[in-house]
Amino acid sequence: MMSNNGRMGPLQNEQSQREYRASLISANIILAMIRNPHSENVSSPMTGIWIVRSFVTRVTCSTPDYHVTVNEDMHIDSCTCSDYMHRHAPCKHMYLLRNFTSMQI
């Protein structure tokens, strides 16, 4: 019988790293990275498509924005980034929105 002795598997480790990267973003930078469905940077939970800017150190006019969808149950549902589209698992943009709004993924 094998045991992992409390260690994370590779997929859990990758997921944990995404969540950690989102937690490193400071509150004042989050305000510049997220817009709600009404194009405001207000953290009130609401359904619709939220716009979340890419995690980059230097923002330019070509810095991509991603659309993060919140469903009718107020759950963060999906993201248009390639990471989410490939894995269909929460990405750092979804974790960032969760941290900003306290909505569930």
Side-chain angles (χ1 to χ4, degrees):
M1 185 166 147
M2 296 180 67
S3 173
N4 68 2
N5 296 325
R7 294 183 186 175
M8 287 189 256
L11 295 177
Q12 291 172 313
N13 190 17
E14 286 178 18
Q15 202 60 36
S16 180
Q17 288 175 19
R18 286 174 181 84
E19 191 170 4
Y20 177 70
R21 287 217 39 217
S23 74
L24 294 176
I25 306 296
S26 66
N28 61 333
I29 293 179
I30 288 175
L31 289 173
M33 290 180 70
I34 297 179
R35 294 280 181 250
N36 69 18
H38 299 294
S39 294
E40 303 165 334
N41 62 351
V42 178
S43 65
S44 302
M46 63 180 66
T47 61
I49 296 174
W50 290 68
I51 297 171
V52 179
R53 182 153 293 190
S54 178
F55 281 47
V56 294
T57 55
R58 186 169 174 231
V59 175
T60 67
C61 62
S62 63
T63 300
D65 290 333
Y66 299 107
H67 295 179
V68 178
T69 303
V70 175
N71 66 25
E72 302 82 30
D73 296 325
M74 302 304 281
H75 287 93
I76 300 167
D77 197 39
S78 64
C79 182
T80 58
C81 75
S82 60
D83 183 43
Y84 179 81
M85 300 303 271
H86 176 72
R87 296 178 320 102
H88 294 282
C91 63
K92 58 190 175 189
H93 310 102
M94 296 168 75
Y95 286 121
L96 186 68
L97 184 58
R98 182 197 64 187
N99 296 348
F100 184 60
T101 63
S102 299
M103 290 187 286
Q104 297 298 310
I105 295 178

